[in-house]
């Protein structure tokens, strides 16, 4: 049986827990530890479920260094500052996460200019080709584009569903959960945008219209060659859909300032749509030393140091777990 690798989306898992049901957990000194506690609890639960041979954590590079921000300066401009303000003791908690990975012997991979998503995409693609079973632990649905016979996506539940996750491992699951072929997911995001990453696609194109276009045509290039196809702009009853009704509506002042367009039109936003598709695409070709990253984490852990770390944070349940109680 092939060995298993668990890839951790560090930032996504932490944020989900830091805003979840453990967010108000504190030490007796008043330091917030809820995000760290929830992160460790989530990881230990997934380890127990899938029993991977190796674990690797992917870390986001600093946003100002991201190549996507070079192409689209507004990329994620709405996110990190808000998170730092919303999550208590951000710097302290992130420092504890780093310490946990070191004590748990989990390699941390950060590539300047790239996001954790690209690190995971590259590792998942390369390990999958090597014949490993790969599990990606994240709350980010962008990873659907990586799913294949050797790669599964473990989607975390919402902030208030601390113990829930859903395993997406084949095309039928994707059709049921997302309604789109994983190969077309970046084209889908190019059309509808991604509010969490602060890019808009073509304003007026919603999920239903984008899915209809991609059900008929495989790529954005084909869609734009066939914009005169009337079926693309009809609803189920055969009447013009909202995309057609709003095809030539005037652009608002706010939109004009942001997109430098005269009107909202799938034709006039073509360049923006293709740019958004490229922003959604994950880089699968980062040059990483994937052999060096395959540590036998469990046999290398120093239980006494790990217990000391848990004592400092007052994580008594994890201490009992380590002691077999």
């Amino acid at each position: 049986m092939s060995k298993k690798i668990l890839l951790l989306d560090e930032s996504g898992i932490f944020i989900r827990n830091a805003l979840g049901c453990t967010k108000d957990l504190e030490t007796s000194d008043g330091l917030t530890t809820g995000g760290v506690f929830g992160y460790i609890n989530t990881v230990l639960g997934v380890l127990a479920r899938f029993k991977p041979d190796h674990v690797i954590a992917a870390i986001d590079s600093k946003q100002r260094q991201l190549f996507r921000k070079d192409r689209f300066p507004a990329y994620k401009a709405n996110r990190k500052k808000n998170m730092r303000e919303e999550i208590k003791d951000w710097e302290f908690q992130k420092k504890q996460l780093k310490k946990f990975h070191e004590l748990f012997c989990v390699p941390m991979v950060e590539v300047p200019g790239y996001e954790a998503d690209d690190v995971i995409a590259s590792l998942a693609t390369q390990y999958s080709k090597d014949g490993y079973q790969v599990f990606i632990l994240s709350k980010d649905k962008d990873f659907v584009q990586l799913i294949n016979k050797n790669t599964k996506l473990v989607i975390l539940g919402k902030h208030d569903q601390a113990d829930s996750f859903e395993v997406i491992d084949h095309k039928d699951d994707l059709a049921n959960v997302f309604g789109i072929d994983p190969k077309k997911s970046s084209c889908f995001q190019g059309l509808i945008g991604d509010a969490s990453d602060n890019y808009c696609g073509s304003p007026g194109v919603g999920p239903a219209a984008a899915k209809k276009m991609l059900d008929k045509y495989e790529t954005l290039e084909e869609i734009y060659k066939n914009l005169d196809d009337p079926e693309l702009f009809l609803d189920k009853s055969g009447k013009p859909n909202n995309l057609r009704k709003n095809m030539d509506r005037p652009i608002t002042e706010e939109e004009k300032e942001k997109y430098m367009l005269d009107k909202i039109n799938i034709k006039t936003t073509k360049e923006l749509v293709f740019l958004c598709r490229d922003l959604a695409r994950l880089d699968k070709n980062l040059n990483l030393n994937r052999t060096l990253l395959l540590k036998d984490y469990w046999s290398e852990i120093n239980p006494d140091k790990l217990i000391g770390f848990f004592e400092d944070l007052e994580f008594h349940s994890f201490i009992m777990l380590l002691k077999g109680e």
Side-chain angles (χ1 to χ4, degrees):
M1 183 179 289
S2 57
K3 288 194 172 184
K4 300 175 184 177
I5 298 174
L6 176 64
L7 302 178
L8 304 176
D9 175 11
E10 185 253 20
S11 181
I13 303 168
F14 167 69
I15 289 172
R16 178 258 197 173
N17 282 288
L19 297 175
C21 59
T22 62
K23 66 180 179 181
D24 296 323
L25 190 66
E26 294 181 346
T27 65
S28 53
D29 294 330
L31 288 169
T32 303
T33 56
V36 182
F37 180 90
Y39 182 98
I40 296 172
N41 193 49
T42 297
V43 171
L44 292 181
V46 173
L47 290 178
R49 167 80 180 269
F50 298 106
K51 297 179 173 56
D53 300 280
H54 309 287
V55 184
I56 302 168
I59 313 295
D60 277 325
S61 177
K62 292 181 179 178
Q63 286 200 20
R64 64 177 178 271
Q65 300 173 331
L66 297 180
F67 78 90
R68 289 181 178 88
K69 288 187 75 69
D70 291 337
R71 294 199 61 189
F72 189 68
Y75 182 72
K76 287 191 175 179
N78 60 333
R79 189 189 291 189
K80 195 157 189 178
K81 184 179 179 182
N82 294 341
M83 287 299 176
R84 286 176 176 271
E85 291 173 353
E86 191 171 353
I87 295 173
K88 297 177 184 176
D89 294 320
W90 171 282
E91 294 294 344
F92 170 77
Q93 293 202 72
K94 293 291 275 189
K95 191 178 292 186
Q96 302 313 307
L97 275 188
K98 182 179 180 182
K99 194 170 183 180
F100 166 72
H101 290 135
E102 291 170 347
L103 291 171
F104 212 70
C105 301
V106 171
M108 294 169 282
V109 185
E110 178 182 346
V111 179
Y114 292 87
E115 296 176 74
D117 295 10
D118 301 303
V119 172
I120 288 173
S122 296
L123 290 175
T125 300
Q126 294 161 20
Y127 284 132
S128 174
K129 288 179 180 177
D130 293 341
Y132 289 93
Q133 288 187 59
V134 179
F135 297 86
I136 301 169
L137 181 62
S138 179
K139 65 181 182 65
D140 193 338
K141 295 177 182 177
D142 286 349
F143 290 122
V144 298
Q145 58 194 274
L146 302 176
I147 292 176
N148 58 39
K149 64 178 182 179
N150 288 336
T151 304
K152 297 175 174 59
L153 175 57
V154 184
I155 286 279
L156 297 169
K158 294 182 179 179
H159 302 323
D160 58 349
Q161 298 171 327
D163 298 322
S164 68
F165 54 83
E166 183 173 7
V167 182
I168 312 296
D169 61 2
H170 54 76
K171 214 167 183 178
D172 290 341
D173 280 347
L174 287 166
N176 293 333
V177 177
F178 303 109
I180 194 75
D181 185 322
K183 294 178 182 177
K184 300 179 183 180
S185 62
S186 59
C187 293
F188 184 74
Q189 293 301 140
L191 286 165
I192 71 169
D194 187 333
S196 67
D197 286 342
N198 204 38
Y199 60 84
C200 69
S202 182
V205 179
K211 182 178 183 302
K212 185 174 184 179
M213 292 176 183
L214 289 166
D215 281 344
K216 188 163 188 180
Y217 299 106
E218 292 291 313
T219 64
L220 291 183
E221 286 80 3
E222 288 183 46
I223 289 171
Y224 273 90
K225 285 179 183 176
N226 292 279
L227 284 181
D228 57 349
D229 180 350
E231 291 186 10
L232 294 182
F233 303 102
L234 300 177
D235 61 23
K236 292 180 180 179
S237 63
K239 297 178 181 178
N241 61 19
N242 288 334
L243 186 59
R244 167 56 68 190
K245 292 175 185 175
N246 295 327
M247 177 70 83
D248 298 314
R249 73 168 172 82
I251 194 166
T252 65
E253 287 301 317
E254 183 181 354
E255 289 169 333
K256 190 166 187 176
E257 184 179 339
K258 188 172 184 180
Y259 307 124
M260 301 301 291
L261 302 169
D262 295 321
K263 61 184 178 181
I264 290 297
N265 182 311
I266 193 171
K267 294 178 183 177
T268 60
T269 55
K270 178 179 179 180
E271 185 178 343
L272 190 59
V273 168
F274 277 82
L275 171 60
C276 293
R277 177 197 64 182
D278 294 344
L279 294 175
R281 280 178 171 167
L282 301 178
D283 193 323
K284 304 176 185 177
N285 300 303
L286 298 182
N287 186 16
L288 303 168
N289 191 336
R290 59 188 188 276
T291 302
L292 190 63
L293 294 172
L294 297 181
K295 292 188 176 182
D296 186 5
Y297 69 97
W298 192 251
S299 66
E300 296 181 22
I301 290 173
N302 183 320
D304 292 334
K305 288 185 178 180
L306 195 55
I307 287 174
F309 170 71
F310 290 151
E311 286 175 342
D312 289 341
L313 295 179
E314 301 173 17
F315 291 168
H316 304 297
S317 59
F318 297 147
I319 295 172
M320 293 173 65
L321 185 67
L322 270 180
K323 290 182 175 180
E325 299 174 15

